Amino acid sequence: MQQLQAKPSSNPMDCSRWFPSFSSLLYKIEKWGAPYFSVNSSGNISIRPKGLNSSSTHEEIDLLKVLKKVSDHKSSGGLGLQLPLIIRLPDVLKNRMESLQSAFESAICSWNYGSRYQGVYPVKSNQNRFIVEDIVRFGFPFRFGLEVGSKPELLLAMNCLCKGHPEALLICNGFKDKDYILLALIARKLAFNVVVVLEQVEELDLVIDLSTKLCVSPVIGLRAKLRTKHGGHFGSTSGERGKFGLTPRQILSVVKKLEKAGMLNCLILLHFHIGSQIPSITMLADGIGEATQIYCELVRLGACLQFIDVGGGLGIDYDGSKSSNSDVSVGYGLEEYASTVVQVIQQVCDSKSVKHPVICSESGRAIVSYHSIVIFEAISSSVSDSPGLNPEGLQHFVEGLTEDARADYSNLSAAVIKGEHTACLHYANKLKQYCLDQFKEGSLNIEQLAIVDELYGMVSKATGASEPIHTYLVNLSIFNSVPDFWAIGQMYPIVPIHRLDQKPTVKGILLDLTCDSDGKIDRFIGGESSLPLHDHRESSGGQYYLGMFLGGAYEEALGGSHNLLGSPSVVQVSSQSSEPEGFIVTMATPGQSCRDVLRTMQHEPEAIFKELKQRIKALGQVNGTADGMFQSVLAGIFSNMPYLTRGSSCS
C-alpha cells in the first residue's frame, strides 16, 4: 500500500531534535506558569520567585537543585528529607500580594476612584502558620488583613494579627454560635479591627445581646445573596440557591432590627460572593453591579456603610488556555479583574450619588496557588504492550476456535491484507469479545486469552486506533496531596521537573500508592487522557521526578490520611543571590512518620511497639531468631515516613 506524504507539523513531538523550549511548549509551562515558572537551558524547571521583577537569571532557582539539596543524605551536605515533598516559595507569595495590590492601585488611579483597596486573606485557603504569618508580614504596608470562617481560624488570626497593621481588617464570616460571636467581640475589645458578617438574621440577636453585655460597640457586616450565578462546579455556591447570604427581605429585616436597637451606624460592610473561579469579566461585572446596587440601597436606608467586600472568585488559569468557559481557566488577568471591579463600583455609586467605598477582596486562591509545588518520584512503570506473537502459538490458538470465531479471524486476516483499518478493528474486537465469553465459560484457558489480547493490541497499534499507555507508579497519595482531583475533578499542571531537554518517548498515567482504585491521575490539563513522559529507567540513578504546580490553595487543608500515608515533607525556599545555588532553605519539616499517622486515628504507637516487642522476644526464644535485629527494624519503621523508600538519596 502506497504511503501518504506527511504534512509539515507544528507539533514539537514531530521533531527529531529536541530543545528545552519544545518541552515548554508541549507542557504549556509559559502559559500556566508565567511569570514564575519556565524551563532553563539544562532542561530543568526554573523558578522566578519575584515574577516579572526577576531581573536576571541570577535570580532564578533551579528546582532540581532544590530537590537535591533537600533530599541528599546529610553526609553529602543535604537535609535527608524523604519524598513526597512540598516546596513553599515565600518570595512568590509576596509577589502575588504586591501584584494584587498594584493592580487595584493602578485601576483606582486610572478611574480616578475616590477611595482605596484593602484586601484580606481567607485563611481557609491554607491555614498553615508560616503562610498566614508571611501574609500578615508582607501585607503590613497595604493594611492587609485576614478573613476567617470558624472559631479556630479566628483564634489563629487574632494571634497573627498581633503583628499586623492596626487598621488591618479581621472579617468573621461563616455560620456563628454564641461562642463564635463572643470571641469576635472579645477581639474587638482587644483592639482588633473585627467585622462580624451576618450569615443569618438570627445571628444579629446574639450580636446585639452580647455586645450590650460586654459594653462594646460591634462592627457589623452582612452578606447578600446575589441573583447573579455562573455555571460549572464552582457556580453551584452562588445564585438564589447559594449556601450563604441574606435575601432582600432578610436584609430589610436586619436594617429594621438595627434601627430599632439604635445600632444602624454599626453596619459598615456589605459582603457577597459570586462564586469561586469566576470564569469571565462579563460575569464578574454583572455580579459586582448587582451587589453595588444593594450597597447604595443600604446607604439610602440610613446605613453608614464604608466597605464593599467583593469576596473571592479571582480565578487561576490552571491549564493556560485563558478560557472563559472552563472550570480550570479564566479569561482575564489581575489587571483586568481589578479594573472591572473598580469601574463598575464607581459607575453604580456615581449614578446614585453615593460616596465610593473602600474595596475589599478575599482572593485566597489567587494569592497562594502559585507559591507551592508538590514534588514526587516515579518508582516504576509498566505498559500493556504486545511482545509479539509466536506463529506456532497463534496457529494452535486458531485451530482451537469455533467455526464462527475462525470466520472472524479469517475476515480479520483479509482486512489486514487489504489495509482496511476499520474492518480490522471490527473483527479483532469481535474475536476478543468471543474469546472473553469462552474464557468465562471455562472453554478457553488463560494462555489462549493472553494470545487474543496480544493480537488485539497489535491490530490496535498497527491501525493507529491506540498507542501503548504506560502506567507510572508514583510515591504519592492523591487523597492526601491532590484531594480536589479525586473529589471534584480539579486539574493541576503536572510536569517532569528535569530531563526537559530530552524528548518524551511515552505517554503515561500516574498510579498512587493507595489501595484504592480511585488512586490514579488519568486526566490532565488540555483535556488529555495521558501525559508525555520519559522512560524513568533512563534517568540518572533511575530517578524520575515530577511536580504538581498551582496547588497552594486548599489541598493541604483538605488532604486526609487515606491508607495512613500521612502528609509530605515540607521545605521553605527563598532566593538568595549571595548563595552559590541562588537560594537558601529557611525551614524544613519531615513528613509524618508511621508513629505520627497512627496517632491521628487514636492508636497508641508506644503501646503497639511494646506489644510487638514482647511478641518478638517470645518467638525469638522459641525460634532462635535475632530479636534485637527485629526490634531495631521495627523501631526504624515507626520513625520513618509511610511512603516507599528506595536505595537513593531520597530514602
Side-chain angles (χ1 to χ4, degrees):
M1 175 180 264
Q2 185 178 2
Q3 290 191 346
L4 297 175
Q5 181 67 38
K7 294 181 179 180
S9 173
S10 59
N11 186 346
M13 293 298 288
D14 295 334
C15 300
S16 56
R17 296 185 63 193
W18 197 261
F19 301 95
S21 59
F22 289 0
S23 288
S24 183
L25 180 64
L26 176 66
Y27 294 108
K28 303 178 176 65
I29 294 170
E30 293 290 350
K31 291 187 176 180
W32 55 257
Y36 303 107
F37 306 110
S38 61
V39 182
N40 63 26
S41 58
S42 299
N44 303 330
I45 292 289
S46 181
I47 304 165
R48 295 188 291 259
K50 298 178 182 178
L52 296 174
N53 296 327
S54 300
S55 57
S56 68
T57 55
H58 297 293
E59 295 186 357
E60 294 186 7
I61 299 173
D62 188 313
L63 190 52
L64 188 64
K65 290 182 179 179
V66 174
L67 177 60
K68 180 176 173 58
K69 173 70 175 178
V70 169
S71 64
D72 273 358
H73 197 272
K74 291 181 179 179
S75 62
S76 303
L79 300 178
L81 293 186
Q82 185 185 336
L83 270 61
L85 172 73
I86 295 174
I87 297 176
R88 295 201 186 110
L89 304 161
D91 294 324
V92 172
L93 194 64
K94 183 180 181 182
N95 183 263
R96 292 299 293 173
M97 296 184 69
E98 291 172 345
S99 298
L100 180 63
Q101 184 73 25
S102 175
F104 270 100
E105 288 179 354
S106 177
I108 285 169
C109 181
S110 296
W111 292 105
N112 197 25
Y113 188 78
S115 190
R116 67 177 191 274
Y117 169 74
Q118 186 176 342
V120 296
Y121 169 67
V123 299
K124 67 179 180 183
S125 299
N126 196 322
Q127 299 99 333
N128 180 269
R129 170 192 159 193
F130 299 102
I131 294 172
V132 180
E133 287 179 349
D134 278 346
I135 284 172
V136 170
R137 179 162 54 93
F138 298 150
F140 190 96
F142 317 132
R143 293 179 278 202
F144 218 87
L146 300 174
E147 180 271 341
V148 301
S150 68
K151 286 170 276 191
E153 288 186 348
L154 177 52
L155 287 168
L156 74 85
M158 290 166 65
N159 177 61
C160 291
L161 284 175
C162 285
K163 296 181 179 179
H165 195 284
E167 295 180 28
L169 293 169
L170 176 47
I171 294 180
C172 297
N173 287 329
F175 297 115
K176 303 169 191 68
D177 62 3
K178 180 179 178 180
D179 286 348
Y180 188 166
I181 293 172
L182 186 60
L183 181 60
L185 293 174
I186 289 173
R188 178 75 180 157
K189 291 276 280 187
L190 295 175
F192 291 105
N193 197 10
V194 177
V195 182
V196 179
V197 177
L198 304 176
E199 304 281 5
Q200 304 175 94
V201 175
E202 294 78 14
E203 293 171 2
L204 180 57
D205 295 328
L206 285 171
V207 172
I208 293 173
D209 179 55
L210 292 171
S211 62
T212 301
K213 290 177 179 177
L214 287 175
C215 299
V216 58
S217 177
V219 176
I220 300 172
L222 62 82
R223 189 200 296 243
K225 189 190 293 286
L226 302 186
R227 310 298 174 91
T228 303
K229 175 179 171 60
H230 75 71
H233 168 79
F234 294 107
S236 62
T237 60
S238 61
E240 289 185 82
R241 296 190 178 184
K243 180 178 179 181
F244 297 106
L246 305 178
T247 65
R249 184 170 294 279
Q250 290 172 323
I251 290 173
L252 290 172
S253 175
V254 166
V255 170
K256 288 179 180 178
K257 279 191 175 185
L258 286 171
E259 201 169 29
K260 185 177 180 180
M263 297 173 65
L264 189 55
N265 63 313
C266 295
L267 181 60
I268 70 160
L269 179 144
L270 175 69
H271 174 42
F272 60 93
H273 181 62
I274 301 170
S276 297
Q277 195 73 3
I278 298 170
S280 70
I281 285 297
T282 302
M283 182 63 62
L284 173 68
D286 193 25
I288 297 290
E290 180 187 353
T292 310
Q293 293 288 355
I294 296 172
Y295 181 96
C296 293
E297 286 299 297
L298 285 169
V299 171
R300 180 181 65 82
L301 293 171
C304 300
L305 291 181
Q306 301 173 34
F307 295 85
I308 185 164
D309 181 353
V310 302
L314 173 53
I316 292 294
D317 190 2
Y318 289 100
D319 64 3
S321 65
K322 291 182 169 48
S323 170
S324 299
N325 301 303
S326 169
D327 283 342
V328 295
S329 185
V330 291
Y332 55 86
L334 276 180
E335 292 75 13
E336 192 175 0
Y337 173 87
S339 180
T340 301
V341 170
V342 171
Q343 179 188 10
V344 173
I345 293 174
Q346 181 187 48
Q347 287 176 345
V348 174
C349 287
D350 287 350
S351 70
K352 297 295 182 71
S353 299
V354 170
K355 184 180 178 181
H356 298 168
V358 176
I359 298 173
C360 177
S361 76
E362 303 174 5
S363 306
R365 186 188 301 269
I367 291 173
V368 297
S369 289
Y370 286 91
H371 100 289
S372 177
I373 308 166
V374 178
I375 306 295
F376 51 97
E377 184 180 8
I379 300 297
S380 63
S381 66
S382 61
V383 61
S384 54
D385 196 9
S386 172
L389 288 172
N390 182 294
E392 293 181 2
L394 179 59
Q395 183 62 34
H396 178 71
F397 163 74
V398 173
E399 290 173 355
L401 296 175
T402 64
E403 186 175 342
D404 289 343
R406 279 201 298 272
D408 286 333
Y409 180 78
S410 297
N411 290 330
L412 171 60
S413 301
V416 169
I417 293 170
K418 296 177 182 178
E420 298 173 345
H421 290 183
T422 303
C424 286
L425 284 171
H426 170 72
Y427 290 117
N429 190 58
K430 278 188 67 179
L431 185 61
K432 181 180 179 181
Q433 187 58 51
Y434 167 80
C435 291
L436 177 59
D437 293 340
Q438 290 296 102
F439 178 76
K440 290 178 179 179
E441 294 173 5
S443 303
L444 213 66
N445 61 38
I446 194 168
E447 290 88 352
Q448 291 171 308
L449 188 66
I451 288 174
V452 77
D453 282 344
E454 291 170 5
L455 179 63
Y456 183 81
M458 288 177 62
V459 171
S460 297
K461 185 176 181 180
T463 57
S466 67
E467 58 182 302
I469 300 297
H470 293 241
T471 55
Y472 278 62
L473 176 64
V474 295
N475 206 9
L476 186 76
S477 165
I478 290 168
F479 304 93
N480 292 6
S481 297
V482 206
D484 269 343
F485 175 82
W486 167 73
I488 61 174
Q490 175 67 42
M491 302 289 181
Y492 295 96
I494 297 176
V495 180
I497 68 166
H498 61 138
R499 295 184 62 185
L500 297 173
D501 55 345
Q502 304 170 31
K503 184 177 182 177
T505 55
V506 301
K507 289 188 175 182
I509 62 172
L510 310 179
L511 308 182
D512 77 354
L513 297 183
T514 65
C515 298
D516 196 305
S517 57
D518 283 340
K520 62 181 179 180
I521 299 178
D522 55 3
R523 286 167 288 130
F524 303 89
I525 61 170
E528 299 295 330
S529 58
S530 62
L531 185 69
L533 295 168
H534 307 85
D535 188 334
H536 82 285
R537 296 166 299 183
E538 297 175 2
S539 294
S540 176
Q543 296 162 340
Y544 189 49
Y545 302 110
L546 298 104
M548 186 202 80
F549 296 79
L550 311 190
Y554 301 108
E555 300 312 282
E556 287 183 61
L558 292 174
S561 299
H562 192 31
N563 268 174
L564 295 187
L565 285 171
S567 58
S569 302
V570 180
V571 294
Q572 192 164 283
V573 177
S574 295
S575 60
Q576 185 70 267
S577 57
S578 60
E579 292 292 319
E581 296 156 323
F583 67 88
I584 55 171
V585 178
T586 58
M587 184 271 291
T589 306
Q592 286 181 304
S593 66
C594 292
R595 181 182 290 108
D596 296 330
V597 293
L598 285 167
R599 284 200 184 97
T600 63
M601 302 306 290
Q602 285 76 56
H603 295 281
E604 298 180 10
E606 291 76 14
I608 294 173
F609 182 74
K610 182 179 179 180
E611 183 70 28
L612 294 178
K613 188 166 69 170
Q614 290 175 351
R615 189 175 182 87
I616 288 170
K617 286 184 177 180
L619 292 178
Q621 292 171 359
V622 175
N623 300 329
T625 54
D627 58 294
M629 184 270 287
F630 284 174
Q631 289 183 40
S632 176
V633 170
L634 194 62
I637 289 173
F638 267 98
S639 300
N640 289 337
M641 288 175 66
Y643 292 91
L644 300 187
T645 59
R646 54 183 293 175
S648 71
S649 60
C650 294
S651 61

